[in-house]
Amino acid sequence: MKVSLLLFFSFVAGLLVRAAGQMIINRYPVEEAPEAPFAVERARMVEVQLAAPSRGIRDKRVLHVMGNVPRHEFVPPARRARAYSDSALPIGYNQTISQPYIVAFMTEILELKPESRVLEVGTGSGYQSAVLSGLVSKVFTIEIVPELAARAKADLQRLGYTNVDCRTGDGFAGLPEEAPFDAILVTCAADQVPPPLEAQLKPGGRMIIPLNDGSGQTLFLVCKDDLGISKKPVLPVRFVPMRRSKQTER
Ligand code: SAH
């Protein structure tokens, strides 16, 4: 009698433990995994991939923002475990979210000020826009793939990046109605600096853009001053190509 009672209670206890375990699992499905482990990985990303002397990102504001933006929220759920790895990752539609170091490098070199208005060409996941959002007063970002544009817009809204204005279209043409910009950041590789982007840069403004050369791509820093435009190669890179719509190809 006593033994069967004991068996009965241990059976019931087992059921309760399993139910409680399932409740915890249900509360944190993969998409809403708890933030804590990601925060640790993000802090390590900043230290090892960005601030380390071999990498040399020094701007405290850039390091701070990248220590806070939840990169795992901008990658597909299946890639989340690698969200803070030292690499670009696929985001669907044959496109990628850039390597964290490249995001930091491009952001730092623009020498952004809190009052800057920035244009990004190639929204992709929206991650770079989120980083810019924490550093400047207003971000405009254009994406040519409508599905990516819609997803990034929804993600940025959900995460509270209210100063980012997402547009769908061909960024080769820039955004004349919102120009001029203090800074322009292009995240897809072009054959030349698109003339509309050059025109939409403020005097004193800076643009960072990957350009195709014979064998690969180089990141160029484009500066505009009273004398005109100067172009300086700063880093060999690999970005997805800039696509063109019928309108801007003409
Ligand atoms: N900044 C992005 C990286 C995206 S990869 C991020 O943080 O995730 C580059 C993006 O540029 C791709 O999404 C691609 O669809 C987009 N793109 C390519 N050509 C474009 C164009 N002409 N205008 C706007 N976006 C373009």
Side-chain angles (χ1 to χ4, degrees):
M1 174 69 184
K2 259 189 184 159
V3 173
S4 62
L5 208 64
L6 214 66
L7 276 176
F8 173 73
F9 278 125
S10 68
F11 174 70
V12 171
L15 279 182
L16 285 174
V17 167
R18 276 181 58 186
Q22 199 57 49
M23 271 170 68
I24 291 171
I25 291 166
N26 289 346
R27 243 187 98 194
Y28 298 120
V30 181
E31 305 91 281
E32 291 167 39
E35 163 66 21
F38 288 120
V40 173
E41 286 185 44
R42 193 159 57 239
R44 200 175 306 135
M45 171 195 87
V46 170
E47 203 182 304
V48 177
Q49 300 173 32
L50 311 183
S54 59
R55 292 296 173 86
I57 302 297
R58 293 220 180 79
D59 188 323
K60 292 242 156 44
R61 292 179 68 225
V62 173
L63 293 172
H64 178 75
V65 166
M66 290 194 60
N68 279 302
V69 174
R71 187 171 161 92
H72 60 279
E73 298 280 2
F74 294 92
V75 301
R79 308 264 176 200
R80 219 151 266 183
R82 299 204 57 219
Y84 295 96
S85 63
D86 194 11
S87 60
L89 294 171
I91 54 170
Y93 306 92
N94 284 328
Q95 306 304 327
T96 54
I97 176 173
S98 307
Q99 180 191 10
Y101 170 66
I102 295 295
V103 172
F105 183 91
M106 293 174 82
T107 307
E108 180 177 58
I109 210 166
L110 290 176
E111 297 178 358
L112 301 167
K113 298 186 182 68
E115 64 275 17
S116 298
R117 294 170 81 253
V118 182
L119 172 67
E120 177 192 22
V121 175
T123 315
S125 66
Y127 176 68
Q128 172 75 70
S129 323
V131 169
L132 292 170
S133 161
L135 293 166
V136 302
S137 67
K138 184 82 194 177
V139 180
F140 297 92
T141 183
I142 318 177
E143 169 57 53
I144 201 163
V145 177
E147 292 85 354
L148 284 176
R151 190 174 70 193
K153 181 175 182 173
D155 284 339
L156 288 161
Q157 241 167 34
R158 173 174 62 86
L159 296 165
Y161 295 100
T162 51
N163 61 344
V164 182
D165 188 335
C166 296
R167 309 281 179 98
T168 307
D170 182 355
F172 186 94
L175 267 188
E177 67 277 21
E178 304 291 351
F181 302 99
D182 299 288
I184 300 180
L185 190 156
V186 183
T187 68
C188 42
D191 292 332
Q192 49 150 330
V193 179
L197 295 186
E198 214 172 274
Q200 290 170 30
L201 197 58
K202 259 188 208 169
R206 292 160 84 86
M207 173 177 0
I208 186 84
I209 178 169
L211 294 178
N212 299 316
D213 47 45
S215 51
Q217 297 171 7
T218 305
L219 213 45
F220 276 82
L221 176 65
V222 179
C223 296
K224 193 185 219 179
D225 61 23
D226 300 334
L227 299 173
I229 290 278
S230 69
K231 239 173 67 179
K232 189 174 96 178
V234 288
L235 193 72
V237 283
R238 212 170 64 205
F239 279 87
V240 298
M242 181 180 279
R243 291 167 45 181
R244 302 286 298 280
S245 64
K246 295 246 159 30
Q247 285 84 343
T248 72
E249 250 174 2
R250 255 185 265 146

